[in-house]
Amino acid sequence: MDDDKADVAVAEMPQAGVDDYAWARARPVSRWFMVVYGLAYTGMWMALLSPLLVGLAMRVQVIDPAHADNSLSLVVGVGALAALFGNPFFGRLSDRTVSRFGVRRPWLVGGALMGVAGLAMVAQAGSIPELLLGWCVTQLAYNAQLAALAAILSDQVPPSQRGTVSGIVSISLPVGMAAGTFLVQAFATSTYAIFMVPGVIALIAASALAGALHGDRPAVAHAAPYGWREFAGSFWIDPRRFPDFSWTWCSRFLQFAGVALLLTYQELYLIHQLHCPPHEAPHRIFLSTLLQSTMLAVFGVLGGRLSDAVGRRKAFVSGAALLYALALLLIALTRSFDWFLVGMAVTGIAQGAYLAVDLALLTDVLPERETHAARNLGIFNIASVLPQLLMPAMAPGILAMTGDSYAVLFMLAAILVAAGAWTIQRVQGVR
């Protein structure tokens, strides 16, 4: 169903609040909305990624210094599983929510509020089980907020602006990472401030976005009672009914499989392939990450706006994926840190354009957007999270078979990303 027909269908649905919702969908969103939407995403990433990048390791080192590595792996791994299942589950609940505040606002603000509570639990944890519980609450809370945030793009933004808004969303992650780590350094002497300040900022930004929404999507009419069948449906979309969504999901999975291999093993690559002294590796990773994030932010906005201007999605997504694959090949074959930095800069360019336009493309082909938008976007998010669990588990075997060759590992990553470029061309519903 194209967007014009979808808007007509919404207008004909006999549900309270539909007229306001259809009116909101038909209006171009303002620059103020774009700014607030980007800030809400940025605040969420600040609150969620600051502990992951710095704060959790600090807490584990204090609580269990003798087994810090194993304890940190346990906390992060279980938290990732919570994120994997939490996003589509809460997305489905959001679609079914009936309240005078609308469908998205309760999860948008409620998720941010519970995130603050989870971060408080992490900050005051006195044992690894307490830390694990607090981090799981944090992951579930912010994934509930993320489900509502992602659905707002489909609910509120017309197709002609989705590339631009997706570009703004794409830069929220690197900006959130940089701002969050800056706050951690600024409040390094206060454990509570390290966790609570980003959480409070995320709550304020979410509240501002809730106030900026034009109407809200109506809840599912005559929804069936929530049971095991409904729960299982939160994690599955029939690829035979919705092939465009399935091809887009596969493309995202393959892209992030390559990304996961690069991000997870770049430090060992620097040490073993480029012969970087171990004590210099963190500084070099900081330099490469800063360069990559800068390129991602710039080309995320440019790619989204250009995609809107020419009215095409697939060419941008495929081209960005192929460029990322070429960058991986450069990194795999280089023997110089300078060329490694060039490769990382190119990955930033490619990833920025990919994330901006891929999200817009997904929104254009999103099935059942009027009734299951948040659930389906949550299922799509699995394609981003699952490679972070699978690829680090598979990589040791690959390295063992290739004599610890990180060049071969990154070549495999390039092949996976290139396959994702081909996969997106199978989508038929958009140009």
Side-chain angles (χ1 to χ4, degrees), residues 123-428:
Q124 65 182 1
S127 66
I128 295 300
E130 291 177 1
L131 185 68
L132 176 60
L133 177 61
W135 183 237
C136 286
V137 171
T138 302
Q139 282 277 19
L140 290 172
Y142 285 120
N143 272 275
Q145 182 188 1
L146 178 60
L149 277 171
I152 286 170
L153 180 65
S154 174
D155 291 350
Q156 300 268 326
V157 182
S160 61
Q161 292 181 300
R162 284 177 186 158
T164 300
V165 177
S166 297
I168 293 173
V169 171
S170 72
I171 71 172
S172 66
L173 192 149
V175 172
M177 289 174 59
T181 52
F182 173 79
L183 288 176
V184 169
Q185 295 179 14
F187 296 103
T189 57
S190 173
T191 300
Y192 279 96
I194 287 174
F195 293 98
M196 301 305 294
V197 171
V200 171
I201 291 174
L203 178 59
I204 294 172
S207 301
L209 177 59
L213 294 180
H214 296 298
D216 203 350
R217 194 191 65 77
V220 176
H222 310 297
Y226 195 89
W228 284 107
R229 182 182 296 273
E230 185 75 10
F231 173 77
S234 299
F235 307 96
W236 170 254
I237 290 180
D238 189 346
R240 295 169 298 180
R241 290 184 61 200
F242 306 109
D244 281 354
F245 179 88
S246 301
W247 287 118
T248 306
W249 192 99
C250 290
S251 175
R252 174 64 73 97
F253 176 87
L254 291 167
Q255 175 74 19
F256 273 73
V259 171
L261 287 174
L262 175 61
L263 295 184
T264 303
Y265 291 97
Q266 63 175 321
E267 181 172 0
L268 295 177
Y269 157 86
L270 289 172
I271 293 172
H272 295 290
Q273 182 159 320
L274 298 189
H275 307 294
C276 169
H279 68 276
E280 293 184 9
H283 177 67
R284 295 194 180 189
I285 290 175
F286 167 74
L287 292 177
S288 67
T289 302
L290 180 62
L291 181 60
Q292 183 189 49
S293 298
T294 302
M295 294 297 102
L296 193 156
V298 172
F299 284 87
V301 174
L302 292 177
R305 290 180 65 87
L306 187 57
S307 174
D308 279 345
V310 302
R312 292 183 178 273
R313 307 292 192 209
K314 292 194 295 184
F316 282 88
V317 175
S318 291
L322 289 174
L323 183 61
Y324 198 98
L326 290 174
L328 285 170
L329 289 177
L330 174 62
I331 292 171
L333 298 175
T334 188
R335 293 295 184 270
S336 163
F337 179 67
D338 290 339
W339 280 106
F340 170 74
L341 288 179
V342 172
M344 291 298 290
V346 176
T347 65
I349 295 170
Q351 189 74 343
Y354 181 93
L355 290 175
V357 185
D358 185 56
L359 183 57
L361 185 152
L362 167 70
T363 308
D364 289 344
V365 302
L366 188 68
E368 303 174 315
R369 73 179 60 171
E370 311 302 347
T371 55
H372 298 78
R375 182 204 69 173
N376 294 345
L377 285 163
I379 293 173
F380 184 73
N381 190 59
I382 293 175
S384 303
V385 178
L386 191 58
Q388 301 174 40
L389 299 175
L390 293 181
M391 301 316 296
M394 297 171 58
I398 298 170
L399 290 171
M401 291 187 294
T402 59
D404 290 333
S405 174
Y406 291 94
V408 172
L409 187 67
F410 290 162
M411 287 180 184
L412 174 61
I415 293 172
L416 293 173
V417 172
W422 173 83
T423 301
I424 205 67
Q425 290 298 319
R426 307 292 296 175
V427 175
Q428 300 297 317

